[in-house]
Amino acid sequence: MRPDLAAKYDLRVPRYTSYPTAPHFHPGVTAETYGGWLGGIDPKLELSLYLHIAFCAEMCWFCGCHTKITKRYAPVAAYMDALWREVDLVAGRLPARMTARHVHFGGGSPTILSSDDFVRTIDLLKSRFILKADAEVAVELDPRTADEAYVKAMAGAGVTRASIGVQDLDDKVQRAINRIQPYEVTERVVEWLGKHGVPEVNIDLIYGLPHQSLDGLLATIEHAVKGFRPKRVALFGYAHVPWMKKHQRLIPEESLPDTETRWQQYEQGCRLLTETLGYVQIGLDHFAAPDDAMAIALKEKRLHRNFQGYTTDSATTLIGFGASGIGSLPQGYVVNDGEVHAYQRAMAEGRLATSRGVAISPDDMLRREIIERLMCDLGVDLDVVAGRHGSDGSQFAAELASLAPLQADGLVEVEGHRIHVTEEGRTLVRAVCAAFDRYLKAGEQRHSKAV
């Protein structure tokens, strides 16, 4: 992208993993609301389950997750006891023993769990839900804390995908973000995953990190891909939000790449992954091997986006467990209390830990689908999508008009009620989505940069 456009559109906009987005969730959605929503779910629907493990062994300074640091296992054990109570509590509120086709362990760091507690959690899920035989069971894995016994237990419990945080392989960058993870540490874990039969491996990389050069990032991408042979790669932009995550204040802003360098890192990183290494780009920041299910879903326009990012999972109900666990139901979104002790107290008292959320209106549902198609397909036919909601695209005249600057700069094409984001405009797809976000206020500073 031209430097002048990179500067012009250096905006702060949501990541659009939900709509309405998280800043618009409110405490008017209570535990009682959530309980009623659970009871009203169609029992024939299939679910996705997300389990948030809210602990890490140490804090990575770039982290934007909800997590606590502990060197002892006792707090983790107490937390898991509460999470198991929540699984029982939520399952009991559903209208039937429902089918789950996707399970995701996130964090924090799920690899802080003991092997026994991980297996016990899977066994509990199987007792309270019907896990499909071909269900995807994915685990976010920190190579610094995983051992072979844990990997073996994961495989034995049915894990089908491990997502490994690599971030950057340069020692100076690792020290600047307080995540010392030599290549050999990750390589060893990848070998264990293959040895014990976990079939799919993803890796997560980050651009825009402190002291990260363009050449250094490209070297990391090439070394990691050729060494670990992942089916999927995520190339995320570091979100520097020290007003939200106080530990990010340990990263001096002057050590971060400037806007032009950040854009170069993203664009050349994408080019390396696609043109040289053979991956298919998925939306904004994901890449998949051509034969991977995600690449196939993109081609067939079956790709979706949720709180874990781009996904092949089309379930309309995502149940979130754990402190700060977030769920998406047909009626709206819910979030658990993010304070671990408050969450544990709610579970001890036998009540749901919902702290906020938002009910979704018919207009929200329509705009959510428009935004999802833009994020996934880089294009949308407003008449087709609106028609599925009993409307037509003519109601979006103001939104289409607001895209005129992007259109003039060759970043988006508009023909009637059809929108197509150009390849040069791919990096600004979130800005295109923002045109359809009726909640977003101009100049709002609660979000990360567009790229």
Side-chain angles (χ1 to χ4, degrees):
M1 177 170 288
R2 301 196 323 256
D4 61 320
L5 295 183
K8 180 178 180 179
Y9 296 109
D10 185 30
L11 309 174
R12 292 191 180 275
V13 287
R15 292 188 177 275
Y16 291 115
T17 55
S18 71
Y19 181 81
T21 57
H24 305 289
F25 296 2
H26 57 80
V29 173
T30 65
E32 289 70 27
T33 308
Y34 182 33
W37 287 357
L38 288 170
I41 295 174
D42 183 344
K44 296 189 295 296
L45 293 177
E46 294 181 339
L47 310 176
S48 286
L49 310 177
Y50 173 80
L51 296 90
H52 185 76
I53 311 303
F55 289 91
C56 292
E58 61 182 359
M59 179 62 75
C60 301
W61 295 342
F62 69 87
C63 183
C65 301
H66 290 279
T67 189
K68 292 176 70 69
I69 306 306
T70 183
K71 298 294 185 183
R72 300 181 302 114
Y73 196 72
V76 180
Y79 177 81
M80 291 308 296
D81 183 68
L83 190 147
W84 296 330
R85 289 172 183 253
E86 186 185 15
V87 171
D88 285 334
L89 188 61
V90 168
R93 295 292 186 99
L94 291 169
R97 182 173 174 236
M98 295 183 66
T99 298
R101 67 179 181 206
H102 186 102
V103 179
H104 188 102
F105 285 77
S109 177
T111 41
I112 203 169
L113 298 179
S114 69
S115 300
D116 288 345
D117 280 351
F118 181 85
V119 172
R120 179 177 174 181
T121 304
I122 293 289
D123 287 344
L124 176 62
L125 294 177
K126 289 178 178 177
S127 72
R128 300 311 306 258
F129 301 94
I130 303 168
L131 260 62
K132 298 190 73 172
D134 60 349
E136 178 173 88
V137 181
V139 178
E140 296 175 11
L141 191 152
D142 184 342
R144 301 169 303 163
T145 54
D147 58 24
E148 186 171 4
Y150 185 87
V151 171
K152 184 177 181 180
M154 283 172 44
V159 170
T160 61
R161 184 178 300 278
S163 293
I164 302 176
V166 175
Q167 325 314 349
D168 192 287
L169 295 172
D170 183 271
D171 179 67
K172 185 177 182 180
V173 176
Q174 291 185 357
R175 285 186 279 110
I177 61 175
N178 196 40
R179 188 183 176 103
I180 308 303
Q181 185 179 317
Y183 175 89
E184 293 75 19
V185 171
T186 306
E187 181 181 44
R188 180 183 61 192
V189 171
V190 171
E191 290 174 352
W192 290 337
L193 291 166
K195 174 182 176 181
H196 294 291
V198 176
E200 305 286 353
V201 173
N202 303 352
I203 62 170
D204 294 343
L205 305 171
I206 299 181
Y207 66 91
L209 291 172
H211 304 299
Q212 187 182 53
S213 68
L214 173 59
D215 288 344
L217 172 65
L218 298 179
T220 282
I221 293 172
E222 188 157 18
H223 197 189
V225 167
K226 289 182 177 179
F228 307 143
R229 302 176 301 281
K231 292 285 284 186
R232 299 177 187 175
V233 178
L235 180 62
F236 296 121
Y238 166 56
H240 191 61
V241 287
W243 58 90
M244 293 174 59
K245 298 295 179 180
K246 293 182 178 180
H247 56 266
Q248 291 188 353
R249 296 173 186 173
L250 296 167
I251 297 178
E253 293 204 11
E254 61 270 19
S255 69
L256 297 172
D258 61 23
T259 297
E260 183 176 351
T261 302
R262 186 179 168 100
W263 283 86
Q264 289 176 346
Q265 288 178 338
Y266 171 76
E267 292 188 324
Q268 293 196 35
C270 293
R271 191 172 298 121
L272 174 60
L273 283 161
T274 55
E275 296 179 7
T276 303
L277 298 172
Y279 287 88
V280 175
Q281 186 164 4
I282 308 292
L284 185 62
D285 47 24
H286 283 49
F287 302 81
D291 61 346
D292 183 82
M294 187 172 282
I296 295 169
L298 172 69
K299 184 176 181 179
E300 297 177 353
K301 296 188 181 300
R302 295 184 293 103
L303 194 65
H304 293 278
R305 186 164 172 84
N306 63 20
F307 298 113
Q308 282 78 60
Y310 291 102
T311 179
T312 58
D313 180 19
S314 60
T316 58
T317 300
L318 168 66
I319 305 292
F321 299 102
S324 79
I326 187 165
S328 173
L329 289 80
Q331 305 95 326
Y333 299 102
V334 292
V335 185
N336 280 344
D337 198 312
E339 205 286 310
V340 168
H341 294 300
Y343 167 76
Q344 290 174 318
R345 185 164 56 252
M347 293 305 106
E349 295 171 0
R351 54 184 175 84
L352 296 168
T354 311
S355 62
R356 65 190 190 283
V358 64
I360 51 177
S361 68
D363 182 67
D364 292 334
M365 294 178 189
L366 168 56
R367 291 173 183 269
R368 178 173 65 181
E369 186 175 351
I370 290 169
I371 289 170
E372 183 178 49
R373 297 294 17 112
L374 284 167
M375 289 296 296
C376 293
D377 302 334
L378 301 180
V380 66
D381 186 323
L382 297 177
D383 286 329
V384 170
V385 173
R388 288 197 283 266
H389 295 260
S391 182
D392 63 71
S394 61
Q395 66 181 290
F396 296 110
E399 288 84 350
L400 290 170
S402 74
L403 296 176
L406 290 159
Q407 190 174 5
D409 286 327
L411 304 176
V412 66
E413 298 170 348
V414 178
E415 182 181 347
H417 294 156
R418 292 192 296 274
I419 301 169
H420 170 68
V421 179
T422 67
E423 191 57 36
E424 188 172 21
R426 179 191 289 266
T427 53
L428 288 164
V429 63
R430 290 162 56 197
V432 180
C433 294
F436 295 89
D437 186 343
R438 68 183 181 90
Y439 298 94
L440 187 65
K441 297 177 182 177
E444 196 167 35
Q445 292 294 304
R446 289 182 290 181
H447 303 288
S448 60
K449 290 185 177 182
V451 168

